[in-house]
Amino acid sequence: MTENTTSNKINSYQKQENKEEMKKQIISFGLMILFTIIAFAAVGTGFIDSMFIVPLIFLLAVVQVIFQFFYFMHMKDKGHAEISGIMYGGFWVTFLVMMALGVITWW
């Protein structure tokens, strides 16, 4: 009898956790769609000076990548430390290489 009660508590807890996770994913998906619309509107309307459009688009892209990693690729969950380290290390190396190429090219 107690085993069934414990099982029901675990199931209700897991259902609540799944509901919260789905809610976060839907909100982040909606925000990513909004950021995409903002980027298209910034380029399409021409209200923003072209000097500011590129940094705006890069900023929106970085925010979308962060949403992708944390909510859709579950990098915020436990057990992803090694994979996260490899991915962040790859981004850091890529950033350093791009900065070095930029310095070499424009110096």
Side-chain angles (χ1 to χ4, degrees):
M1 180 75 176
T2 57
E3 188 176 313
N4 190 19
T5 305
T6 306
S7 177
N8 287 340
K9 287 180 183 178
I10 292 172
N11 286 339
S12 66
Y13 175 76
Q14 189 64 36
K15 285 181 182 180
Q16 184 66 26
E17 286 293 316
N18 289 343
K19 185 178 178 181
E20 290 295 320
E21 182 69 24
M22 183 60 71
K23 183 178 171 182
K24 290 177 184 177
Q25 286 186 352
I26 290 173
I27 289 170
S28 65
F29 180 73
L31 286 172
M32 288 191 307
I33 295 295
L34 178 69
F35 291 155
T36 303
I37 291 170
I38 290 170
F40 274 107
V43 172
T45 59
F47 286 133
I48 299 175
D49 190 32
S50 62
M51 186 173 88
F52 297 114
I53 288 180
V54 173
L56 174 70
I57 290 175
F58 276 127
L59 177 69
L60 293 173
V62 167
V63 171
Q64 285 191 8
V65 166
I66 291 170
F67 279 147
Q68 286 284 331
F69 280 150
F70 283 104
Y71 291 107
F72 294 110
M73 295 177 71
H74 303 283
M75 289 295 177
K76 67 184 180 335
D77 296 339
K78 293 180 182 178
H80 290 96
E82 184 178 337
I83 296 169
S84 296
I86 291 170
M87 291 179 71
Y88 297 140
F91 285 132
W92 181 245
V93 168
T94 302
F95 174 75
L96 290 176
V97 167
M98 295 312 249
M99 296 310 280
L101 289 174
V103 167
I104 290 171
T105 302
W106 286 297
W107 189 344

